[in-house]
Amino acid sequence: MTKLQAKRQLERQFANAGIHRYFFDERGLRKYAPSAVKQQILASFGGNVPQNMATGLLPTVKVFYHNSPAYLRLNQHNGQRYHGEWQLQLENGDTLVGKVKNNVLNFPRDLPLGYHQLSLKCGQIQADSSIIVAPRQCYQLPQIQNKQKLWGSCVQLYTLKSETNWGIGDFGDLQQFLAKFQQNGGDFVGLNPIHSLFPANPEGASPYSPSSRNWLNIIYIDVASLPEFRQSAAAQHWFQSAEVQQQLADLRQRDWIDYSAVMALKLQGLQLAFAEFEQQAASERQRQFQQFVQQGGESLQVQATFDALHADLSRRSENQWGWDCWAAEYQDYHSAAVSEFQHSHVEQVRFYAWLQWCAAEQIEACYQFCRQQQMPIGLYRDLAVGVTPNGAETWWNKSLFCLTASVGAPPDILGPQGQNWGLAPMNPHVLQQQAYRPFIEMIRANMQSCGALRIDHIMCLLRLWWVKCGDSAKNGAYIGYPVDDLIAILALESQRQQCMIIGEDLGTVPKAIVSKLKNAGIFSYKIFYFEFDQQGQSRALAEYPYQAMTTLSTHDLPTVNGYWRGHDFELGQQYQVYPDPKILARLQQDRVNAKQKILQRLQQAQLEIPPGVDASLSSDCPLEFNHALQRYVAAVNSALFGLQPEDWLGMTEPVNIPGTSTQYPNWRRRLNRTLDDIFADPAVLALLQTVSHARKMV
């Protein structure tokens, strides 16, 4: 084989794998990935790349839109003509049959929405395929269809302080927050991802680095409100002891969460509550739990087994961070050793399944409260873009993930080194081979107990930046995903669950996905500070798209106070986020320019600018100005508008600094006031009532 032939063969392999040849950076310049980088990425697929996309008579899965022409052309081999019959088992139990004509299977145009199973027989050849029929658009509330303007609060649940929680915000706090917020006109409360993390490794606290996205983070359980905890004499004796009360008082007053101490205390209380639960053999709650276990199926057993095994191994040995650190016989869920553990530790596995039930009950109670109060959206949840490579999700389905690659982002102005998020990417080809079932189950799980779902980095439906594990994020390439199929499935589940979709589309957004998201009824995500018109002016509020959610900040950005004072640059320098002083200077000048444009808009709106507030990085940001800015943006044309409690309080410290891991205590900073204090503050109440009024007027 000549060098040219070898090069062409390699390029075909890259194309079959879905590795993009180039992409456009934030300046619109075309960037090519070196061949050596693409070869590293190709190797991470581990051979799970189709050499020929048409390997069988039928595709593994085929997606059709509802009330559109529906037919399948058989994959021909050497021009062969096939004759035979097909049978389509519909989701509702009905069966359709037909014959193959000219190597084509023609289905009725009005196939019902849902998931159907196709069987084909051509002589001695049999083939099967999953048929998915989806709507063209995601669900939208009647209020949205009527062009109303809704507003809410974006809350990092763990940051909430109260007189009753155990040192971290919990579902009990959430219900209190909802009650007080709804009284002030709020339409929804948005949450950080509440996916399951690692109870045996509580310091792994990032909500965006979950063990599994199919289950919940048990640290959010409000232990004291569980019926079994209240009924247990042993639990109450323990809870009322001077030692435990002192621990709780200490954890409550801290400004930063001590995850290890909180988790240890909660697990003690939960074990006592579980012991009481197990004594109630014939109770209604036992029946409800058993139903939950049956509905959860093997997925719940995997999660419960993982957490129980992780806890057991961590008690016996240090540094058992995830399954890749465990003894070899435990590194695969399907192993004989894991099966033996399940049989010999039935109660421990059952305990962790019970914790999932407790968490699910409490978040559902919060959502039902929203519905009773007729909040249009109520809760909206957040779906992380990926999972850690050593958690429950990868442990169960290793073939789906490319564990020698990591997901991130290419270099840009804000992150000149690129970003490596340490998350394992799904193999798009295996995802198709599995008929998209993991994606369907994940989406469905995260649409429970909420009226909207925010999808982090929604460009992942089109492409993801892959990097070889351990390598610099600069040495990566984009991998393509079956975007049309994934959006169609998203629309189907959205309609079935009556759950709106918000797509976090910040950063460099490829044109190929913009119209797809818009046409599918997926809401864009706008940050006020980043929005400028074609003339370079701060975008007029009336010019924001309606099909969007607008906020002033997010968990990855400085608070309003931090932004205006340039505190994020101080922290970035302290933690060496900006190694290039020229880039830092450019970003600082961009900030000054942006603030000048914002101040011009505020002056045009005849807002009084307090003394000391200007465009410089040393500017003041008094609370009155902070609130005035939030009231101004409340008039935005977007259907959804969100505020953060941090900004009601004028807080400066962020919850997260992208580009850091251990340098800054990410995901640990709490609010500086309790829920009762916040909603008793006249300034906060005046802000919320003004915003509520403004949203009804726009």
Side-chain angles (χ1 to χ4, degrees):
M1 183 183 297
T2 66
K3 288 184 178 180
L4 180 60
Q5 288 173 324
K7 182 179 179 180
R8 287 175 175 171
Q9 184 182 43
L10 195 57
E11 289 297 332
R12 283 194 296 271
Q13 291 176 332
F14 294 154
N16 285 340
I19 302 174
H20 291 195
R21 293 178 56 234
Y22 60 84
F23 68 98
F24 293 97
D25 67 11
E26 75 281 0
R27 295 167 296 177
L29 299 178
R30 184 177 291 191
K31 296 286 186 179
Y32 288 86
S35 180
V37 167
K38 291 190 287 187
Q39 288 184 61
Q40 287 183 344
I41 301 298
L42 181 65
S44 69
F45 281 92
N48 286 324
V49 176
Q51 298 303 310
N52 181 352
M53 301 302 289
T55 53
L57 275 185
L58 295 175
T60 305
V61 59
K62 178 67 177 178
V63 178
F64 296 111
Y65 284 113
H66 190 47
N67 287 329
S68 296
Y71 63 90
L72 263 179
R73 190 176 301 278
L74 298 182
N75 298 322
Q76 297 185 49
H77 301 276
N78 301 320
Q80 185 174 350
R81 297 180 69 83
Y82 295 95
H83 303 278
E85 298 179 343
W86 56 262
Q87 176 176 295
L88 187 63
Q89 186 76 33
L90 300 181
E91 193 179 51
N92 63 10
D94 293 345
T95 301
L96 302 178
V97 295
K99 294 184 179 296
V100 179
K101 297 180 180 179
N102 297 321
N103 283 355
V104 174
L105 285 64
N106 286 293
F107 307 120
R109 187 185 183 98
D110 60 349
L111 283 176
L113 295 170
Y115 304 95
H116 316 303
Q117 296 303 313
L118 174 67
S119 299
L120 171 69
K121 186 172 183 181
C122 294
Q124 299 300 312
I125 301 176
Q126 293 190 350
D128 299 293
S129 180
S130 293
I131 303 297
I132 301 174
V133 182
R136 291 190 176 274
Q137 282 202 319
C138 296
Y139 174 76
Q140 293 194 356
L141 286 164
Q143 291 90 337
I144 298 299
Q145 295 175 22
N146 293 332
K147 299 298 180 181
Q148 294 182 28
K149 307 290 175 61
L150 307 180
W151 74 287
S153 178
C154 304
V155 174
Q156 299 292 304
L157 181 54
Y158 50 89
T159 67
L160 297 183
K161 274 188 177 181
S162 72
E163 301 296 336
T164 56
N165 74 33
W166 291 21
I168 189 171
D170 60 29
F171 291 133
D173 291 333
L174 176 59
Q175 191 150 352
Q176 286 187 55
F177 188 97
L178 285 162
K180 295 175 184 293
F181 187 58
Q182 185 271 337
Q183 290 171 5
N184 287 277
D187 298 309
F188 63 83
V189 170
L191 299 175
N192 56 279
I194 53 175
H195 310 314
S196 62
L197 298 183
F198 296 82
N201 177 27
E203 294 303 322
S206 171
Y208 290 93
S209 298
S211 170
S212 171
R213 290 168 292 182
N214 292 330
W215 298 99
L216 299 171
N217 187 349
I218 63 170
I219 205 169
Y220 292 129
I221 296 173
D222 177 5
V223 181
S225 73
L226 290 174
E228 294 80 14
F229 188 79
R230 296 198 305 266
Q231 295 161 4
S232 168
Q236 289 303 308
H237 177 75
W238 171 83
F239 183 54
Q240 298 300 336
S241 69
E243 180 184 1
V244 169
Q245 287 298 310
Q246 183 57 50
Q247 290 178 5
L248 289 172
D250 177 58
L251 291 170
R252 286 178 186 137
Q253 61 84 29
R254 295 190 182 190
D255 295 327
W256 301 84
I257 298 168
D258 184 341
Y259 278 100
S260 294
V262 170
M263 182 62 81
L265 201 62
K266 286 205 170 191
L267 285 174
Q268 281 183 273
L270 289 165
Q271 287 280 8
L272 292 168
F274 180 64
E276 177 71 21
F277 175 79
E278 289 294 75
Q279 292 176 18
Q280 303 173 3
S283 69
E284 173 62 16
R285 282 178 62 77
Q286 280 277 358
R287 187 195 66 78
Q288 292 171 356
F289 173 54
Q290 191 56 39
Q291 184 179 22
F292 178 81
V293 170
Q294 291 172 352
Q295 291 173 345
E298 189 176 16
S299 176
L300 177 58
Q301 287 303 307
V302 171
Q303 184 65 51
T305 302
F306 182 92
D307 288 340
L309 179 56
H310 195 187
D312 186 73
L313 294 174
S314 296
R315 278 191 294 269
R316 291 190 267 152
S317 181
E318 295 181 350
N319 304 326
Q320 302 292 297
W321 311 118
W323 63 257
D324 58 344
C325 299
W326 301 350
E329 62 265 31
Y330 295 123
Q331 291 191 5
D332 194 309
Y333 169 73
H334 306 282
S335 72
V338 170
S339 179
E340 170 58 30
F341 176 86
Q342 288 177 315
H343 287 95
S344 61
H345 294 75
V346 172
E347 277 300 294
Q348 289 95 321
V349 174
R350 182 173 165 85
F351 170 64
Y352 281 98
W354 181 76
L355 295 184
Q356 288 296 330
W357 177 59
C358 293
E361 273 210 325
Q362 291 191 350
I363 186 66
E364 177 63 17
C366 290
Y367 184 53
Q368 289 306 319
F369 172 83
C370 297
R371 301 191 68 169
Q372 290 162 10
Q373 299 302 313
Q374 298 183 329
M375 297 174 72
I377 296 175
L379 289 178
Y380 89 66
R381 291 176 58 176
D382 196 347
L383 176 66
V385 69
V387 292
T388 57
N390 58 0
E393 199 169 320
T394 58
W395 189 54
W396 184 25
N397 194 355
K398 284 186 182 179
S399 65
L400 177 61
F401 295 90
C402 294
L403 298 174
T404 61
S406 179
V407 174
D412 59 22
I413 294 174
L414 290 176
Q417 303 302 312
Q419 298 178 45
N420 187 334
W421 302 330
L423 304 173
M426 285 186 180
N427 183 329
H429 312 296
V430 175
L431 185 61
Q432 285 182 306
Q433 290 164 12
Q434 295 185 7
Y436 300 126
R437 285 188 301 274
F439 181 77
I440 295 165
E441 290 166 4
M442 176 185 67
I443 290 297
R444 192 176 292 160
N446 284 275
M447 288 182 179
Q448 301 306 304
S449 305
C450 63
L453 178 65
R454 175 188 181 272
I455 298 182
D456 187 44
H457 193 68
I458 199 165
M459 285 84 77
C460 68
L461 301 180
L462 174 72
R463 66 182 192 183
L464 269 175
W465 184 259
W466 287 25
V467 181
K468 180 184 177 183
C469 284
D471 203 349
S472 167
K474 294 187 292 186
N475 299 325
Y478 275 114
I479 307 299
Y481 283 74
V483 58
D484 292 323
D485 286 2
L486 297 179
I487 289 178
I489 292 168
L490 198 58
L492 175 57
E493 291 299 324
S494 168
Q495 292 284 357
R496 288 189 160 184
Q497 309 299 330
Q498 293 197 336
C499 181
M500 290 174 51
I501 304 297
I502 302 164
E504 189 268 293
D505 53 356
L506 303 177
T508 305
V509 183
K511 294 180 180 179
I513 199 171
V514 173
S515 61
K516 292 180 185 293
L517 298 177
K518 183 178 180 181
N519 293 339
I522 295 172
F523 279 61
S524 184
Y525 201 76
K526 303 297 182 186
I527 306 298
F528 171 68
Y529 301 138
F530 296 164
E531 291 297 311
F532 297 91
D533 59 25
Q534 292 182 341
Q535 288 71 44
Q537 303 302 310
S538 178
R539 181 183 283 196
L541 299 180
E543 295 178 2
Y544 278 66
Y546 178 77
Q547 191 174 301
M549 174 165 174
T550 294
T551 70
L552 277 84
S553 189
T554 75
H555 59 274
D556 278 335
L557 296 172
T559 62
V560 171
N561 203 4
Y563 174 91
W564 207 265
R565 295 175 184 272
H567 183 61
D568 53 319
F569 294 129
E570 296 174 19
L571 292 174
Q573 288 176 284
Q574 181 180 345
Y575 297 112
Q576 299 181 332
V577 173
Y578 309 110
D580 188 332
K582 292 183 179 179
I583 290 178
L584 173 60
R586 177 181 173 184
L587 291 173
Q588 289 173 325
Q589 186 57 52
D590 288 346
R591 176 72 54 82
V592 170
N593 295 339
K595 287 167 62 178
Q596 287 175 341
K597 305 297 186 184
I598 292 171
L599 287 172
Q600 288 173 10
R601 281 292 182 195
L602 297 180
Q603 289 164 350
Q604 290 171 10
Q606 298 183 333
L607 267 70
E608 184 176 346
I609 309 299
V613 175
D614 55 40
S616 70
L617 293 178
S618 59
S619 169
D620 289 337
C621 186
L623 191 61
E624 59 180 306
F625 173 71
N626 195 327
H627 283 193
L629 189 58
Q630 295 176 64
R631 287 195 296 268
Y632 165 74
V633 185
V636 69
N637 181 58
S638 301
L640 307 177
F641 173 59
L643 298 171
Q644 297 187 129
E646 288 87 339
D647 296 324
W648 307 347
L649 304 173
M651 293 180 66
T652 302
E653 297 300 323
V655 293
N656 174 49
I657 301 178
T660 66
S661 53
T662 57
Q663 305 96 314
Y664 181 81
N666 292 326
W667 320 112
R668 288 163 171 79
R669 194 268 290 136
R670 306 177 73 195
L671 296 180
N672 58 12
R673 298 172 72 182
T674 66
L675 290 174
D676 287 341
D677 288 343
I678 291 172
F679 287 100
D681 186 323
V684 171
L685 295 179
L687 170 65
L688 300 183
Q689 289 159 14
T690 304
V691 169
S692 182
H693 178 73
R695 294 302 288 165
K696 291 177 173 60
M697 297 298 293
V698 292

